[in-house]
Amino acid sequence: MTSRYVFRFQDGRADRREILGGKGANLAEMSRLGLPVPPGFTISTAACRDYYREGRQFPAGLQEEVDQALEELEGTLGRKLGAARDPLLVSVRSGAAASMPGMMDTILNLGLNPRAGEGLAQVAGDRAFALDCQRRFVQMFSDVVLSIPHKLFEEILAARRELEGVKHDRELDEEALQAVVEGFLSLVREKTGRPFPEDPREQLRLAVRAVFESWNNQRAIIYRELHGIPHDLGTAVNVQAMVFGNRGSDSGTGVLFTRNPSTGETGLYGEYLLNAQGEDVVAGIRTPRPITELAGEWPEVYAELERYAGLLEAHYRDLQDIEFTVEQGKLYILQTRAGKRTAAASIRVAVDLVGEGRISREEALQRVDPESIDRLLHPAIDPRARLEVLATGLPASPGAATGRVTLDSDAAQALAEAGEKVLLVRPETTPDDIHGIVAAQGVLTSRGGMTCHAAIVARGMGKPCVVGCEAIHFHPDGGGFRIGGEPVREGDLLSIDGSTGRVMRGEVPLVQPDLSPAFRTLLEWADAVRELGVRANADTPADAARAREFGAQGIGLCRTEHMFMAQDRLPVVQAMILAETAEERGKALDRLLPMQRGDFEGILEAMQGLPVTIRLLDPPLHEFLPDPDELETPDDKRRARALQEANPMLGHRGVRLGISHPEIYAMQARAIFEATVTLVERGIDARPEVMIPLVGLEGELASTREQVEKVAAEVMAARGVTFEYLVGTMIEVPRACLVADAIAARADFFSFGTNDLTQTTFGFSRDDAEAKFLHCYLNAGILKDNPFMVLDADGVGSLVRMAVEGGRRGRPGLKIGVCGEHGGDPASIAFFHQAGLDYVSCSPFRVPIARLAAAQATLQGREAWRAGV
C-alpha cells in the first residue's frame, strides 16, 4: 500500500513515532513482534497538520487512502464495517508523538446502527451485549463528534438504573438497555435536530475529523503548555478492529504497569474489570479489581500477561503501561507506552534497570526529569501527629496536601488565583477538570481506581491524590458531602495523604522528607558526570545545613539584607539609616556588628571546608523603613522621605551604597573576617568570599575592594591570624558585561545576578512585568518563556557569553558562577554549561535538581560533540 497519510500497523515501526504518533508506532512495533494486537491502520500526524493548513478540511487524497485501508482491513478479517451480518466494528483513537493521556478523544464500537446491532446480537448470541455496545457508541460519538454533553446521557442511564433498582450498568437487562438506547437517540435528535448518523463510513469520517479537532481542545492545549509540548505536532488517528471485553463473564479489560508507577517496585501492578470496556477502567465509573486477583481468576490469561509484559519491558527497556482486553477467554494487547510514573518511581526504575544490566548509568541519568525531583523534596505528614481520619481511599499519588474543599474545577482555579489553597473533591475527574487539578493542592474522588483519570494526571503533576473513597456521599443539591457519616461543606479544611489513602479533617502537620537510597545513588552518578559545580543560596545556618545535606558544594549567595529584617535587628538598622551624623550611624553599626558576626560565624561553620559567597548590602536603605507617616518624629519622617526614590531598582543601592556610605560595607567586612578568625582559631576551615553587588564600573570595584582588603588586614593584625578570602563581584548590569575584561582585573570571581541582569537588559521591572503584561507576551508567543524563570539565551545569554569571554581575557582562569534564580532551572543550567561557567547556585531545595540537570547538560554536550554539532 503506497500512501502519503495512512499506514497499516504491519507497515510501521517504533522509531516512526513522529509520523505515526506514539500509540500508532507502538501498535506497529507490537504487531511486528508477533503480539496479539487487533489489526488496523494509522492516519499520520502529517494528515492532521495538513487538515489545519487546509482550513480544517481533509487534505486531498486522505479520504481515498482511508477507504482503501478500511477495505484491506475488511478483507483481512472477512467482515464489513457496519454489515448486517457479523459486522466489523472499530475503535478510533488519538495518538500524538508525545504522550498526552486522556487529553484527546476516543470513540469505541464505531460502525453500529440498528441493522449492524442486530447482526452483532446474532453472531454473539446476546442481544443485551449488542445493545450495551450501541449505547456506549451513541454516547461517546455524540459527546466527541456532536458536542452533546456526556452528563446528559449519564442522567438517562442513571434514571434507568434507579427505575430498574440496580447499581451497575451491567445489571441492566435487554429491555432496559433498549430503552436506554432509544432515550439516547431521542436526545440526539432533540439536541441536533436530525437523527443519529447511521452510515458507518460517514461515522468514520466524522470521528477522524473529531480526533483532529481534539488536538486543539482546551484541555489538550493546557496539557501541552504544562509539559512543554509544541502545538504544531498534530495527532495521529488509530483505527483498529474492536475486541469486546463486555461480552460476558469470560471477558474483561484492564490496564497494567510492568512495575509500580508510584514506587517503582518490580512486579505487575494494575487493575481490571470483568464484562467491561476500556473506558470503564480509566473513567472511574466502576471500582476495578487489583491485577493480582486475575492470577486466581484466569491463571492462563495472567501467565500470558506476565510473559507479554516482560517481553515489552525488555524490548523497550523501560516501565510499560499496557492496555489489554480479554474477549471470551482470548487475550489482546491494545496498547503499550512508557508508563507515567511518580518522581520516586522514575528514579528507582532508572537505578534498578542499571542494576539489571538493561541500561547504562548515562541513560539512567537522562531518564529522570530534573524538575520531577522537586516533588520528592517537600513535606509529608508528621508521623507523630494526632489525626482525625474520616475515611480511607486508594493511594493514587503520594504526598500530603491540605486545602479548603472545592467541588468545582472552575471555582478551584478562581480560588487558587486569589491565593487560596484548595482541595479538589469530585465523584471522579474527567479531562475537562485539568485546570482544577492544576490549581488544587491535591485531588480526592469518591470513585475510580489506581489507573483512573485523576490518578494518572495527578501522578504526572506530582499532586497528592486519593481516589475511590467510597465513604464520600455527595449531597444531591450540591454544596458538600458526607464522609464516614461526617458532614463536609465547601470551604471546610481537609487533608489527604496520597501515600496511604487517608482523608483527614483539618490541617495536618508536615515533616521534611528523606532521600531514598536510589535517589542518592542517582545523584552520585550525576556528580561523577557533571562538570558544573552546584552551590546553594542560603542566608541562615539552617538553610546552609540543609543545602549541604542536599549536596551543595558551597554557598553561592548569602544575602546579608535578609539578616537585617529580623525583628530584634530592624530597629537598630532603622536607627543606622535615619542617623543624622556619622557618630550616630557609627553607634548603630557597632550594635549591628556582633549580630552580623554571629550570622556569618554560623553559616561559615555549617559550610566548613566549602566556599561561602557573602553579598554585601544590596537593596536601597528605604526598604528597611516603614511608611514615613508611621515614624514618630518629624526629623525621621523628613529623612525617610528623602531616601525615597522614583526608580529604586536603578537607584541608590548595591555598590553605590557602599561608596556613599563606606562605613556600612566596612562593618559587614569586619563581621565576616572576625567570624572567620574565630572559626580558624577553633580549627574550622572557613572560606569566605566577599561579593560586591551591582558593579558596572572598574572604579567601583577597585574602591570597595581596597576597603575590604584594608579591613581584612586590620583583623588579621589585631588577632594574629591569617586566612584566605576572595573578593569578587556580581555581574548584573549590561555595562559590566561589556567591560568585563577591565572589571575582571580587580575581581577574584564573577557571579551573574541574572534576575537584575534580565531586568536591566529588557528594561522590565519584574514585579510590574509579571503582574501586568508578561502573560500577554507569553500568550501571544512574543516570548516563549518567562525570562525571569528560563534564561533568555539570545539576549541576556549573549551578554553572559560576552562577560565570560571578556572576564577570562582580563583575568585568565577567572572563577565564574551564577546565583540568580536561573541557577536552579534545568534549561538555563544547560546554557550555563555551554557558556563555560564553573558553577550554578540555587535555593537549597533546587540543589538536587541542579546536580542532575548539570549532569544531563554534560551528557548532551558529549552527544552533540560526537554528532559533530
PDB file of all heavy atoms in Angstrom, residues 413-425:
ATOM      1  N   GLN A 413      -9.875  26.903  40.348  1.00  0.00           N
ATOM      2  CA  GLN A 413      -8.939  27.778  39.643  1.00  0.00           C
ATOM      3  C   GLN A 413      -9.068  29.214  40.146  1.00  0.00           C
ATOM      4  O   GLN A 413      -8.057  29.890  40.402  1.00  0.00           O
ATOM      5  CB  GLN A 413      -9.191  27.711  38.142  1.00  0.00           C
ATOM      6  CG  GLN A 413      -8.203  28.535  37.315  1.00  0.00           C
ATOM      7  CD  GLN A 413      -8.476  28.412  35.838  1.00  0.00           C
ATOM      8  OE1 GLN A 413      -9.619  28.464  35.397  1.00  0.00           O
ATOM      9  NE2 GLN A 413      -7.438  28.234  35.055  1.00  0.00           N
ATOM     10  N   ALA A 414     -10.292  29.688  40.285  1.00  0.00           N
ATOM     11  CA  ALA A 414     -10.517  31.067  40.718  1.00  0.00           C
ATOM     12  C   ALA A 414      -9.986  31.296  42.135  1.00  0.00           C
ATOM     13  O   ALA A 414      -9.331  32.312  42.409  1.00  0.00           O
ATOM     14  CB  ALA A 414     -12.006  31.402  40.650  1.00  0.00           C
ATOM     15  N   LEU A 415     -10.250  30.353  43.042  1.00  0.00           N
ATOM     16  CA  LEU A 415      -9.780  30.500  44.420  1.00  0.00           C
ATOM     17  C   LEU A 415      -8.257  30.440  44.495  1.00  0.00           C
ATOM     18  O   LEU A 415      -7.626  31.193  45.247  1.00  0.00           O
ATOM     19  CB  LEU A 415     -10.402  29.416  45.294  1.00  0.00           C
ATOM     20  CG  LEU A 415     -11.896  29.589  45.602  1.00  0.00           C
ATOM     21  CD1 LEU A 415     -12.473  28.324  46.219  1.00  0.00           C
ATOM     22  CD2 LEU A 415     -12.108  30.777  46.534  1.00  0.00           C
ATOM     23  N   ALA A 416      -7.653  29.533  43.721  1.00  0.00           N
ATOM     24  CA  ALA A 416      -6.194  29.418  43.721  1.00  0.00           C
ATOM     25  C   ALA A 416      -5.552  30.703  43.207  1.00  0.00           C
ATOM     26  O   ALA A 416      -4.526  31.156  43.731  1.00  0.00           O
ATOM     27  CB  ALA A 416      -5.748  28.221  42.889  1.00  0.00           C
ATOM     28  N   GLU A 417      -6.146  31.288  42.176  1.00  0.00           N
ATOM     29  CA  GLU A 417      -5.615  32.537  41.641  1.00  0.00           C
ATOM     30  C   GLU A 417      -5.737  33.674  42.656  1.00  0.00           C
ATOM     31  O   GLU A 417      -4.955  34.630  42.607  1.00  0.00           O
ATOM     32  CB  GLU A 417      -6.334  32.905  40.347  1.00  0.00           C
ATOM     33  CG  GLU A 417      -5.951  31.991  39.175  1.00  0.00           C
ATOM     34  CD  GLU A 417      -6.778  32.252  37.928  1.00  0.00           C
ATOM     35  OE1 GLU A 417      -7.773  33.020  38.019  1.00  0.00           O
ATOM     36  OE2 GLU A 417      -6.446  31.676  36.876  1.00  0.00           O
ATOM     37  N   ALA A 418      -6.682  33.538  43.580  1.00  0.00           N
ATOM     38  CA  ALA A 418      -6.849  34.536  44.640  1.00  0.00           C
ATOM     39  C   ALA A 418      -5.956  34.247  45.847  1.00  0.00           C
ATOM     40  O   ALA A 418      -6.032  34.950  46.851  1.00  0.00           O
ATOM     41  CB  ALA A 418      -8.311  34.595  45.073  1.00  0.00           C
ATOM     42  N   GLY A 419      -5.130  33.195  45.744  1.00  0.00           N
ATOM     43  CA  GLY A 419      -4.192  32.888  46.816  1.00  0.00           C
ATOM     44  C   GLY A 419      -4.658  31.861  47.818  1.00  0.00           C
ATOM     45  O   GLY A 419      -3.964  31.591  48.795  1.00  0.00           O
ATOM     46  N   GLU A 420      -5.800  31.229  47.568  1.00  0.00           N
ATOM     47  CA  GLU A 420      -6.340  30.230  48.497  1.00  0.00           C
ATOM     48  C   GLU A 420      -5.815  28.846  48.147  1.00  0.00           C
ATOM     49  O   GLU A 420      -5.709  28.496  46.971  1.00  0.00           O
ATOM     50  CB  GLU A 420      -7.864  30.217  48.411  1.00  0.00           C
ATOM     51  CG  GLU A 420      -8.551  29.388  49.479  1.00  0.00           C
ATOM     52  CD  GLU A 420      -8.570  30.085  50.818  1.00  0.00           C
ATOM     53  OE1 GLU A 420      -9.026  31.229  50.903  1.00  0.00           O
ATOM     54  OE2 GLU A 420      -8.088  29.480  51.785  1.00  0.00           O
ATOM     55  N   LYS A 421      -5.475  28.055  49.150  1.00  0.00           N
ATOM     56  CA  LYS A 421      -5.094  26.652  48.928  1.00  0.00           C
ATOM     57  C   LYS A 421      -6.356  25.807  48.940  1.00  0.00           C
ATOM     58  O   LYS A 421      -7.124  25.848  49.910  1.00  0.00           O
ATOM     59  CB  LYS A 421      -4.121  26.183  50.004  1.00  0.00           C
ATOM     60  CG  LYS A 421      -2.748  26.829  49.898  1.00  0.00           C
ATOM     61  CD  LYS A 421      -1.778  26.255  50.909  1.00  0.00           C
ATOM     62  CE  LYS A 421      -0.390  26.859  50.732  1.00  0.00           C
ATOM     63  NZ  LYS A 421       0.573  26.308  51.709  1.00  0.00           N
ATOM     64  N   VAL A 422      -6.573  25.065  47.862  1.00  0.00           N
ATOM     65  CA  VAL A 422      -7.818  24.324  47.731  1.00  0.00           C
ATOM     66  C   VAL A 422      -7.539  22.844  47.499  1.00  0.00           C
ATOM     67  O   VAL A 422      -6.476  22.453  47.011  1.00  0.00           O
ATOM     68  CB  VAL A 422      -8.680  24.871  46.573  1.00  0.00           C
ATOM     69  CG1 VAL A 422      -9.055  26.311  46.827  1.00  0.00           C
ATOM     70  CG2 VAL A 422      -7.976  24.733  45.235  1.00  0.00           C
ATOM     71  N   LEU A 423      -8.535  22.038  47.887  1.00  0.00           N
ATOM     72  CA  LEU A 423      -8.521  20.597  47.641  1.00  0.00           C
ATOM     73  C   LEU A 423      -9.704  20.297  46.724  1.00  0.00           C
ATOM     74  O   LEU A 423     -10.849  20.594  47.071  1.00  0.00           O
ATOM     75  CB  LEU A 423      -8.657  19.842  48.965  1.00  0.00           C
ATOM     76  CG  LEU A 423      -8.376  18.347  48.955  1.00  0.00           C
ATOM     77  CD1 LEU A 423      -6.892  18.082  48.755  1.00  0.00           C
ATOM     78  CD2 LEU A 423      -8.833  17.715  50.260  1.00  0.00           C
ATOM     79  N   LEU A 424      -9.432  19.762  45.546  1.00  0.00           N
ATOM     80  CA  LEU A 424     -10.498  19.461  44.595  1.00  0.00           C
ATOM     81  C   LEU A 424     -11.118  18.117  44.959  1.00  0.00           C
ATOM     82  O   LEU A 424     -10.429  17.093  44.973  1.00  0.00           O
ATOM     83  CB  LEU A 424      -9.941  19.422  43.168  1.00  0.00           C
ATOM     84  CG  LEU A 424     -10.962  19.162  42.052  1.00  0.00           C
ATOM     85  CD1 LEU A 424     -11.997  20.276  41.984  1.00  0.00           C
ATOM     86  CD2 LEU A 424     -10.265  18.988  40.711  1.00  0.00           C
ATOM     87  N   VAL A 425     -12.417  18.115  45.248  1.00  0.00           N
ATOM     88  CA  VAL A 425     -13.146  16.906  45.633  1.00  0.00           C
ATOM     89  C   VAL A 425     -14.252  16.673  44.612  1.00  0.00           C
ATOM     90  O   VAL A 425     -15.121  17.536  44.412  1.00  0.00           O
ATOM     91  CB  VAL A 425     -13.735  17.020  47.054  1.00  0.00           C
ATOM     92  CG1 VAL A 425     -14.365  15.697  47.471  1.00  0.00           C
ATOM     93  CG2 VAL A 425     -12.659  17.431  48.054  1.00  0.00           C
TER      94      VAL A 425
END
